[in-house]
Amino acid sequence: MEDCIFCKIAKKEIKSKIVYSDEEIVAFEDVNPQAPIHILIIPRKHIPKILDIDETDKNILFRLIAIANKLANDNKIAESGFRLVLNCNSDAGQTVFHIHLHLLGGRKFSWPAG
Ligand code: 5GP
Ligand code: ZN
């Protein structure tokens, strides 16, 4: 999608620190990290928000989580723990309308989430 910042990051039209990439998924460091490890994992396919998914996106959703697990292991936060976040719409604070899974780790998180 033309005006989408995350589509541009996936196509390397905007610079970012990419930590994983394949034909379907890209992962990069969040520009404003909220934890020592804060990585965004996105599908190359432009899906604006989690409410927009359908049956055909099953594999993408599985792979977002599988790559989060891999990156948690790579960053040595798998055993200590990590948080995965998918924000949807304004009450959750979604600001970029291209699905992205936040992988956060390297510190303790409180619950309930703020
Ligand atoms: P949301 O609030 O939509 O779930 O999260 C959007 C995230 O994208 C935020 O954590 C924000 O810091 C990050 N972000 C926004 N623009 C950019 C950018 O241009 N580059 C990178 N690397 N992260 C971005
Ligand atoms: Zn997009």
Side-chain angles (χ1 to χ4, degrees):
M1 206 237 191
E2 250 171 49
D3 282 335
C4 171
I5 195 169
F6 284 1
C7 283
K8 288 183 178 167
I9 284 176
K11 287 188 270 179
K12 293 191 175 169
E13 291 170 10
I14 290 179
K15 215 173 151 222
S16 70
K17 290 188 185 157
I18 292 179
V19 296
Y20 178 88
S21 169
D22 64 31
E23 65 288 343
E24 200 169 43
I25 307 287
V26 179
F28 51 95
E29 290 180 8
D30 196 293
V31 77
N32 182 23
Q34 301 302 309
I37 306 293
H38 189 172
I39 295 170
L40 302 175
I41 307 159
I42 68 167
R44 288 186 185 273
K45 177 180 175 187
H46 180 84
I47 306 170
K49 55 187 184 295
I50 211 71
L51 284 168
D52 299 318
I53 59 151
D54 63 36
E55 276 294 301
T56 64
D57 299 317
K58 268 196 297 203
N59 195 53
I60 285 177
L61 295 173
F62 169 76
R63 294 213 59 233
L64 290 176
I65 293 176
I67 290 160
N69 285 343
K70 172 193 157 32
L71 292 170
N73 277 306
D74 290 352
N75 284 280
K76 306 201 181 329
I77 55 170
E79 293 310 316
S80 50
F82 56 90
R83 184 165 287 177
L84 299 179
V85 176
L86 277 169
N87 290 322
C88 184
N89 279 341
S90 64
D91 273 4
Q94 185 175 5
T95 56
V96 179
F97 285 81
H98 177 133
I99 284 180
H100 48 281
L101 181 63
H102 296 256
L103 167 63
L104 296 140
R107 70 169 170 87
K108 272 206 183 296
F109 298 99
S110 56
W111 190 262

